[in-house]
Amino acid sequence: MNKWYKEDLAFIHNDGFRDFALKSAPGILEIFAQNKIHDGLVVDLGCGSGLWAQELIKADYHVLGVDISESMINIARTRVPDAEFRIDSLFKTDIPLCNAVTSISECISYLFDADSDRHLVQLFWRIYNALTAGGVFIFDIAEKGQVAPGTTTKGFTEGEGWIVLVEKSEDREQKTLTRRITSFRKIGEHYRRSDEVHQVRLYEATTIASELCDIGFQVETTRSYGQYVLPKGHVAFIARKPGS
């Protein structure tokens, strides 16, 4: 479980990449309210460092957060002691009866331990069966077209005591985006380097919506969570289980 988002990258992500979770939170809470979900358990798959979990606890929900990264979970447990966190694969973890399931910032797209679309459909079924009647499943995915064919993009982000370099390339045939990530974090007087390679499955929104509908969800797609517009090449889904 320590292969991805190891200690330094987890620290950097928590310190410098908070916007997606925090700016998405008000819009997702509004979706809950629109669906009359004002309390109860929310299962957050790919919970990261617990930023969204913290907002849920503030809004008086119960939270179970699941993430494959031990380092991310360690941060989350410190940040949100009132929530429950589990180090596990979101594709394999047991999902208890709940009022809502979330998976934000393209967590479902990551190919950390799932290598086929079949795993995604199986997850959709497990979420549907775990949700109470009228419950909602809210998530977003990455789409094709992130990087121009045959090209590689490079960029960097820096913060206090760290810098992260990211090289991205896209394989249109395999429908994957590869991110090669090199991070440097200051430890004492020196900087420590760590390297990770992340692969993301690039989906088509119409395919995902069709799969959700086939299971029984009522599906809506959106390019924003409330006032927060998603980054280019991302689409969100609001999948509601009928019955309430």
Side-chain angles (χ1 to χ4, degrees), residues 31-44:
I31 295 169
F32 286 177
Q34 291 168 356
N35 286 275
K36 301 180 181 179
I37 300 171
H38 302 291
D39 52 23
L41 178 63
V42 178
V43 177
D44 186 26

Side-chain angles (χ1 to χ4, degrees), residues 89-164:
S89 162
L90 65 87
F91 289 98
K92 300 173 184 175
T93 197
D94 292 329
I95 303 174
L97 185 70
C98 56
N99 289 342
V101 176
T102 60
S103 188
I104 63 174
S105 193
E106 67 181 34
C107 292
I108 279 178
S109 296
Y110 275 93
L111 294 173
F112 285 161
D113 65 329
D115 57 6
S116 73
D117 295 347
R118 176 174 54 87
H119 290 98
L120 189 63
V121 174
Q122 290 173 345
L123 175 63
F124 289 167
W125 271 111
R126 289 170 47 238
I127 290 171
Y128 185 87
N129 290 331
L131 284 171
T132 55
V136 295
F137 171 33
I138 300 170
F139 68 102
D140 52 83
I141 59 167
E143 299 176 292
K144 293 185 292 183
Q146 302 274 331
V147 181
T151 67
T152 299
T153 65
K154 297 181 181 181
F156 72 93
T157 306
E158 58 183 327
E160 185 175 351
W162 58 264
I163 185 169
V164 62

Side-chain angles (χ1 to χ4, degrees), residues 35 128 131 133-137 216-220 238-244:
N35 286 275
Y128 185 87
L131 284 171
V136 295
F137 171 33
F217 282 109
Q218 298 169 341
V219 182
E220 176 186 347
I238 304 166
R240 183 176 183 274
K241 182 176 180 177
S244 176

Side-chain angles (χ1 to χ4, degrees), residues 191-205:
Y191 279 82
R192 181 170 65 192
R193 172 176 173 163
S194 63
D195 296 273
E196 298 190 26
V197 178
H198 297 176
Q199 282 198 318
V200 176
R201 175 78 73 193
L202 301 172
Y203 293 105
E204 293 184 4

Side-chain angles (χ1 to χ4, degrees), residues 19-27 222-231:
D19 276 5
F20 199 111
L22 295 180
K23 291 185 177 180
S24 298
T222 178
R223 298 284 173 176
S224 66
Y225 290 129
Q227 297 299 312
Y228 177 59
V229 178
L230 298 180

